Amino acid sequence: MKLTYYGTAAAEGVPALWCDCKTCVRARVKGGRNVRTRSQALIDESLLIDLSADTYLHVLSYGLPLHTIDSCIITHNHSDHLYPKELNMRHEGFAHLKDGKPFKVYGMPAVIKTITDSISAALPEMEAYGELELHSIQPYVPFEAGGYRVTALEADHGAPESVFYIIEKGGKSILYAHDTGIFPEKAWEYLEWLGVCFDIVSLDCTNVLLEWDNKNHMGLTGNEQVKKRLESIGCIDSHTRCIVNHFSHNGLAGYDELVPKAAAKGFEVSYDSMTVEI
Ligand SMILES: [Zn+2]
Ligand SMILES: [Zn+2]
Ligand SMILES: [Zn+2]
């Protein structure tokens, strides 16, 4: 399996749209990996994770092959993960689809409702023409999406029904855990019961180096705690690639400053267009 990070920032991006803080000024000057867009990732060339406000930018700048992807899992109802109006652009007239396959979106009922409300005028025709399919999911109930076995776990996060995902195929597995604080106990119980040793663990690092209680989001201290507990229940071993991702400019460090600090704790640092193969 291959995981590609297309967007690695929190809601406002890095540099943030309107911000004049030190991290944002530095990101504008240095560019490169210090610049981060809103959250999105892709498994192989097949399974999209989140439909962020920067999806179009990812198509233009990083070659996200949106026109060939037919499955998408959504984590939660924040605009850096779900910008539902873009789904309307898959309707005939806005898009001419050669393969005739529906774009299948999987999310918790709150996510499906947001999409339904946002594109209510076009949705009945889009469903009738086979352009879009909406699938409601439940936590801890595995489902098939794009040929992958996917399981949603409840997150500790501000949007109702926020989840993070386990993605498995062909004996490989990824834990993609954004946006969440230190996991709720129910998620821990499920992980322990499942007993999978992941090939990739990708953790929310929104608050980076900021002192934080690691609720709602994490920083590097929360990532360390989660990594230790995952190791203790056999979900991480020496082969697991542990990656921190989803960063805010408020976290007192850009990419360049964070890399050595994260490496000292056994983490790689994501950047826009980073690819990890397992
Ligand atoms: Zn986010
Ligand atoms: Zn800033
Ligand atoms: Zn969020």
Side-chain angles (χ1 to χ4, degrees):
M1 268 200 284
K2 185 174 77 173
L3 169 66
T4 304
Y5 291 95
Y6 281 92
T8 59
E12 61 273 54
V14 182
L17 281 169
W18 306 91
C19 190
D20 207 15
C21 79
K22 251 178 158 174
T23 302
C24 291
V25 169
R26 221 164 23 217
R28 286 189 192 99
V29 172
K30 288 176 131 184
R33 294 179 184 181
N34 296 284
V35 169
R36 299 182 182 277
T37 62
R38 270 72 69 90
S39 196
Q40 193 159 46
L42 182 65
I43 306 293
D44 300 319
E45 308 298 323
S46 306
L47 180 64
L48 193 62
I49 308 176
D50 286 331
L51 190 74
S52 81
D54 283 333
T55 299
Y56 186 46
L57 174 63
H58 298 158
V59 170
L60 293 180
S61 300
Y62 306 142
L64 173 68
L66 200 56
H67 60 291
T68 64
I69 298 167
D70 59 20
S71 299
C72 176
I73 52 177
I74 305 285
T75 54
H76 67 294
N77 254 324
H78 281 154
S79 64
D80 55 324
H81 300 263
L82 175 61
Y83 197 74
K85 287 278 180 203
E86 298 294 31
L87 289 168
N88 214 147
M89 299 301 118
R90 207 171 192 272
H91 195 18
E92 179 54 41
F94 297 115
H96 306 292
L97 307 173
K98 284 190 185 141
D99 64 6
K101 286 189 198 156
F103 190 69
K104 297 176 184 170
V105 180
Y106 301 82
M108 292 291 288
V111 159
I112 300 301
K113 183 175 184 324
T114 297
I115 296 170
T116 303
D117 291 348
S118 174
I119 60 167
S120 58
L123 186 58
E125 272 195 2
M126 292 187 76
E127 287 179 324
Y129 296 171
E131 296 163 348
L132 184 65
E133 276 181 20
L134 302 179
H135 296 270
S136 205
I137 61 161
Q138 288 300 318
Y140 313 111
V141 180
F143 58 97
E144 189 273 333
Y148 300 84
R149 177 186 152 101
V150 181
T151 312
L153 276 63
E154 288 164 297
D156 167 28
H157 193 55
E161 301 181 355
S162 294
V163 295
F164 59 93
Y165 287 109
I166 295 169
I167 300 149
E168 300 169 276
K169 188 178 185 180
K172 300 285 183 186
S173 59
I174 296 173
L175 179 68
Y176 186 86
H178 314 278
D179 301 12
T180 183
I182 290 179
F183 309 159
E185 277 311 307
K186 217 170 159 188
W188 283 114
E189 281 167 24
Y190 186 84
L191 285 163
E192 195 162 0
W193 171 81
L194 190 66
V196 166
C197 188
F198 295 104
D199 298 285
I200 297 174
V201 169
S202 182
L203 297 177
D204 181 292
C205 194
T206 305
N207 295 299
V208 199
L209 305 180
L210 201 65
E211 285 295 319
W212 186 257
D213 61 7
N214 293 302
K215 292 195 164 74
N216 191 43
H217 282 294
M218 288 184 270
L220 203 54
T221 58
N223 299 154
E224 237 188 320
Q225 290 175 46
V226 166
K227 182 168 176 274
K228 279 199 179 121
R229 188 158 171 186
L230 286 169
E231 282 165 352
S232 76
I233 59 173
C235 292
I236 287 179
D237 70 9
S238 57
H239 96 289
T240 307
R241 291 187 66 173
C242 298
I243 301 165
V244 290
N245 176 47
H246 190 283
F247 303 98
S248 161
H249 59 127
N250 294 319
L252 309 175
Y255 177 87
D256 291 342
E257 300 82 48
L258 180 57
V259 166
K261 291 191 164 61
K265 297 178 189 307
F267 291 104
E268 301 173 59
V269 178
S270 74
Y271 54 89
D272 285 17
S273 79
M274 174 184 181
T275 293
V276 186
E277 293 229 37
I278 50 171

